[in-house]
Amino acid sequence: IAGITQAPTSQILAAGRRMTLRCTQDMRHNAMYWYRQDLGLGLRLIHYSNTAGTTGKGEVPDGYSVSRANTDDFPLTLASAVPSQTSVYFCASSISGGTGELFFGEGSRLTVL
Amino acid sequence: RKEVEQDPGPFNVPEGATVAFNCTYSNSASQSFFWYRQDCRKEPKLLMSVYSSGNEDGRFTAQLNRASQYISLLIRDSKLSDSATYLCVVNPQGGNNRKLIWGLGTSLAVNP
């Protein structure tokens, strides 16, 4: 089934630990994004990539890093998790970086204790 | 004024009712607009894109009022399955998804 796959779907993590959230798409979309969604704050962009090999910072990039080695994969890494990074993380993709029409993965619910 | 503002609701309506939500935006130069639907604990899904004055898709109609800087979403003949949160999204810079501004959403509950 075409779409975006995120893993893990849920994770509890001790503060200070390193964590990578995986995201894979099979739609051959050029652009990919990582958002976090928190109650009362809505969706906020963490990092994005308009094409393989390039990445950029979004609204809330601190504490997170990404890579885009190929078209399909866009992992998000928390180098040293902190409790404020407890959130629901959504990976998304779009055909290009300018359509506004995003396809989302099912989300990864992360709890940092 | 918030960049994108929505009435959080919840809107409680009976099946078959017509319901409308508004979304106001602050940047008059905004180029494109979208409505996404998000079910509880699920991912957002694109419902409609609004590039000109409006768009219609079955029971759903989106309208854009540039003079008053709002977009609306009208749902006719509401179904139980329409219960969800509806997110308004504004792109202040056409062709630049990293600038998308997401509203906090309007919650709709359709009751039998």
Side-chain angles (χ1 to χ4, degrees):
Chain A
I1 298 176
I4 297 182
T5 302
Q6 289 186 235
T9 56
S10 181
Q11 182 77 43
I12 298 174
L13 187 66
R17 298 296 295 269
R18 181 184 179 88
M19 177 73 194
T20 295
L21 303 181
R22 300 184 298 279
C23 176
T24 300
Q25 56 107 354
D26 62 2
M27 297 178 283
R28 307 305 292 173
H29 283 176
N30 285 315
M32 297 187 75
Y33 315 85
W34 273 105
Y35 285 90
R36 60 178 290 174
Q37 188 174 34
D38 303 285
L39 193 63
L41 296 176
L43 280 159
R44 293 181 292 169
L45 183 65
I46 303 171
H47 284 287
Y48 68 94
S49 168
N50 281 335
T51 190
T54 69
T55 63
K57 294 181 179 180
E59 179 185 356
V60 289
D62 293 343
Y64 306 94
S65 63
V66 292
S67 61
R68 187 88 183 277
N70 57 60
T71 297
D72 298 343
D73 301 300
F74 192 44
L76 176 74
T77 297
L78 290 66
S80 179
V82 294
S84 62
Q85 292 178 311
T86 294
S87 187
V88 180
Y89 292 86
F90 288 104
C91 180
S93 71
S94 61
I95 293 174
S96 71
T99 65
E101 297 171 349
L102 274 57
F103 294 82
F104 285 82
E106 295 185 345
S108 296
R109 189 171 297 273
L110 183 65
T111 301
V112 183
L113 302 177
Chain B
R1 182 180 179 183
K2 292 182 182 177
E3 291 184 277
V4 174
E5 201 154 4
Q6 297 184 250
D7 182 341
F11 284 65
N12 285 284
V13 302
E15 270 187 292
T18 295
V19 61
F21 316 131
N22 277 347
C23 168
T24 58
Y25 60 95
S26 60
N27 187 339
S28 60
S30 296
Q31 296 295 312
S32 51
F33 311 85
F34 309 88
W35 284 102
Y36 280 74
R37 169 200 170 121
Q38 186 172 25
D39 293 297
C40 187
R41 300 177 74 86
K42 297 288 188 179
E43 74 275 21
K45 293 182 180 179
L46 180 65
L47 181 64
M48 299 185 77
S49 304
V50 188
Y51 291 103
S52 55
S53 61
N55 194 7
E56 184 172 332
D57 183 5
R59 299 183 293 108
F60 298 84
T61 300
Q63 290 191 318
L64 169 63
N65 185 317
R66 288 191 182 275
S68 300
Q69 293 180 213
Y70 74 85
I71 60 172
S72 62
L73 179 66
L74 179 77
I75 305 175
R76 291 180 296 276
D77 189 22
S78 298
K79 311 292 184 188
L80 295 177
S81 57
D82 293 334
S83 297
T85 296
Y86 291 84
L87 305 174
C88 170
V89 186
V90 176
N91 193 341
Q93 295 184 14
N96 191 346
N97 283 350
R98 67 180 183 270
K99 298 295 185 182
L100 291 176
I101 303 171
W102 294 76
L104 297 184
T106 296
S107 176
L108 171 66
V110 180
N111 305 305

